[in-house]
Amino acid sequence: MIRVNPHYAQLQTSYLFADIERRVRAFQQRRPEVDLIRLGIGDVTEPLPQACIEALHKAVDEMATASHFRGYGPEQGYDFLREAIALSDFQARGAQISADEVFVSDGAKCDVGNIQELFAADVRVAISDPVYPVYVDTNVMAGRSGAWLQNHYQNLVYLPCTAATGYAPQLPDKPVDVIYLCSPNNPTGATLTRAQLQQWVDYAAAHKALILFDAAYEAFIRDDALPHSIYEIPGAREVAIEFRSYSKTAGFTGLRCAYTVIPKTCMGWDGDGRPVSLHALWSRRQTTKFNGVSYPVQRAAKAIYSPAGQQQVRTLSDGYLANAQRIRDAFQALGHTCTGGDNSPYIWVHTGSDAWEFFDMLLEKTGVVCTPGAGFGRCGQGHVRISAFNSAAQVDAALQRIRAVLQT
Ligand code: MLT
């Protein structure tokens, strides 16, 4: 008898964005005349930067010749990309990360889920509330969550991020082993300061805990005082793993390329309290289960670091940030408190009403898709997340419809 993983039975409904998509499709069937505007899932709409396109074409042509053809690449990524990452994304900011501490992958979402294979089944996990659902659901699948108790999982430690905490997670009041942090935050758009991150690094060092730092939206930071990487914080090399993605930075959601950084000094602990290199474990895992990202895609990613590529990705994120600013201004003018949208492509809007009801109302009356805050956790109730990932024209059309309905 093939018995299934019993932990899947603890998952609540389906994956949030799959659930939303189902509702949207049902709406479209019922109201085919409505021209939908999607400000829900954070999926990019603008084409790839020209530098990436050129690099892709060139790499495909290389693959067409016997002399330049490449088969399996290194599981951790080609050196040309790992070196560019270490230099531009870390060393240039004073963070001491070397190329061999970078693991190139096909997505931050996969890495964030897969990394847990390195941890014991009974480690205690802390997550922010609201939270990117992948952190929760992957721990449920792995059997770490315990039972679902009406509105939370028994064994997860929830760190409320509300207006009262400035949307930042506070240190837990019970010991935890793994801490998920995301800055700029998905879903709230809030950012963590150096001082706040230092607190977490110190906590992790004192408790032999590990921080999983998701920096997928780092490219949207414009405030020079904010850290882009956790490795800008003293002590982080010992206690943190960082996840980055080209999805939002360079429009790679359909192309797929990301990376994870595990410093060689970052340790887990065995049952006898002896240190174990997480870098070595991840390397073992990846060489066993992953055959690397395709050569053309890694060439496209490398092109981001060329002078032209840097300028083009900046233009992309500037465009989305300009959308974010207009969305935030519009909701504030309508009397809603907002966070995010300045160093982030997400705007977290306090509606005060039931989040799914607001989602349905907005869809019915305006044809605009948002994401109900309750889908991200208990503390997301009374909020919706608006994504700035769309064209300027579509964002303006959405705001016009929203004003017409919400203005009293
Ligand atoms: C989101 O909308 O939260 C993201 O697009 C989801 C993701 O990056 O997986």
Side-chain angles (χ1 to χ4, degrees):
M1 181 171 67
I2 171 65
R3 288 179 54 238
V4 299
N5 178 345
H7 306 307
Y8 275 61
Q10 294 296 333
L11 289 167
Q12 295 309 298
T13 65
S14 49
Y15 181 57
L16 173 63
F17 293 105
D19 200 13
I20 291 172
E21 191 49 36
R22 213 173 19 255
R23 285 176 183 236
V24 170
R25 265 204 303 272
F27 172 79
Q28 274 179 308
Q29 271 171 6
R30 204 163 31 83
R31 305 267 311 274
E33 77 287 0
V34 178
D35 187 14
L36 276 187
I37 302 181
R38 291 180 183 271
L39 303 180
I41 190 166
D43 193 5
V44 292
T45 54
E46 302 311 298
L48 290 168
Q50 191 55 29
C52 299
I53 293 291
E54 284 164 15
L56 265 176
H57 280 299
K58 189 161 172 278
V60 169
D61 285 343
E62 281 180 50
M63 296 291 269
T65 65
S67 53
H68 287 89
F69 172 78
R70 299 186 187 226
Y72 290 129
E75 294 90 347
Q76 302 85 349
Y78 284 102
D79 285 345
F80 62 76
L81 179 55
R82 299 172 89 195
E83 279 159 15
I85 290 168
L87 195 67
S88 305
D89 288 348
F90 297 97
Q91 293 163 19
R93 293 194 173 276
Q96 291 317 310
I97 294 298
S98 58
D100 60 0
E101 294 176 321
V102 174
F103 294 83
V104 176
S105 78
D106 58 351
K109 180 173 168 178
C110 323
D111 285 357
V112 161
N114 293 334
I115 199 82
Q116 305 167 54
E117 281 184 30
L118 310 192
F119 314 141
D122 59 353
V123 294
R124 190 169 275 266
V125 175
I127 51 143
S128 299
D129 178 9
V131 70
Y132 179 41
V134 173
Y135 310 157
V136 175
D137 287 0
T138 53
N139 275 291
V140 175
M141 291 170 181
R144 283 195 194 90
S145 65
W148 174 252
L149 303 177
Q150 301 205 337
N151 59 9
H152 69 284
Y153 285 102
Q154 188 177 17
N155 297 340
L156 296 185
V157 174
Y158 291 84
L159 309 171
C161 296
T162 61
T165 71
Y167 294 99
Q170 309 297 297
L171 295 179
D173 51 15
K174 51 184 126 174
V176 297
D177 307 305
V178 175
I179 302 141
Y180 288 83
L181 296 179
C182 178
S183 179
N185 190 264
N186 181 10
T188 66
T191 46
L192 293 173
T193 63
R194 278 175 204 282
Q196 286 167 327
L197 274 185
Q198 186 70 66
Q199 251 196 337
W200 281 106
V201 167
D202 293 346
Y203 174 92
H207 293 80
K208 290 192 170 152
L210 179 73
I211 298 170
L212 298 178
F213 187 69
D214 184 347
Y217 298 92
E218 159 277 332
F220 294 89
I221 294 176
R222 290 295 179 272
D223 181 344
D224 290 338
L226 291 172
H228 287 240
S229 164
I230 196 161
Y231 303 118
E232 291 174 51
I233 309 300
R237 277 186 55 90
E238 280 66 44
V239 297
I241 292 176
E242 181 164 316
F243 304 92
R244 293 273 189 110
S245 166
Y246 298 111
S247 285
K248 315 295 157 74
T249 311
F252 272 46
T253 51
L255 207 55
R256 311 305 307 150
C257 195
Y259 65 87
T260 289
V261 178
I262 310 187
K264 290 189 178 152
T265 44
C266 184
M267 296 296 148
W269 308 88
D270 72 12
D272 297 321
R274 285 183 300 238
V276 179
S277 162
L278 292 173
H279 181 281
L281 294 189
W282 186 244
S283 190
R284 183 72 174 83
R285 191 258 175 214
Q286 291 297 80
T287 48
T288 306
K289 295 195 176 183
F290 187 56
N291 266 334
V293 175
S294 77
Y295 173 69
V297 169
Q298 290 194 60
R299 278 290 177 201
K302 165 70 168 42
I304 292 168
Y305 297 98
S306 66
Q310 287 289 284
Q311 194 237 312
Q312 290 160 11
V313 293
R314 178 77 181 200
T315 304
L316 270 183
S317 55
D318 278 349
Y320 292 128
L321 279 170
N323 289 347
Q325 190 61 56
R326 293 199 306 289
I327 294 169
R328 186 178 164 132
D329 289 349
F331 275 95
Q332 281 178 338
L334 290 165
H336 295 287
T337 314
C338 299
T339 186
D342 37 12
N343 294 289
S344 147
Y346 295 128
I347 302 92
W348 189 241
V349 182
H350 181 250
T351 63
S353 52
D354 178 83
W356 281 103
E357 275 176 24
F358 190 92
F359 167 88
D360 285 335
M361 180 278 294
L362 208 62
L363 186 59
E364 287 291 336
K365 294 193 174 164
T366 70
V368 174
V369 183
C370 66
T371 308
F376 297 106
R378 273 181 292 184
C379 294
Q381 188 50 279
H383 295 78
V384 293
R385 189 194 75 174
I386 312 285
S387 156
F389 290 115
N390 211 320
S391 66
Q394 285 285 84
V395 166
D396 288 339
L399 293 178
Q400 208 172 358
R401 294 186 202 173
I402 289 169
R403 279 193 201 97
V405 167
L406 295 189
Q407 220 146 31
T408 46

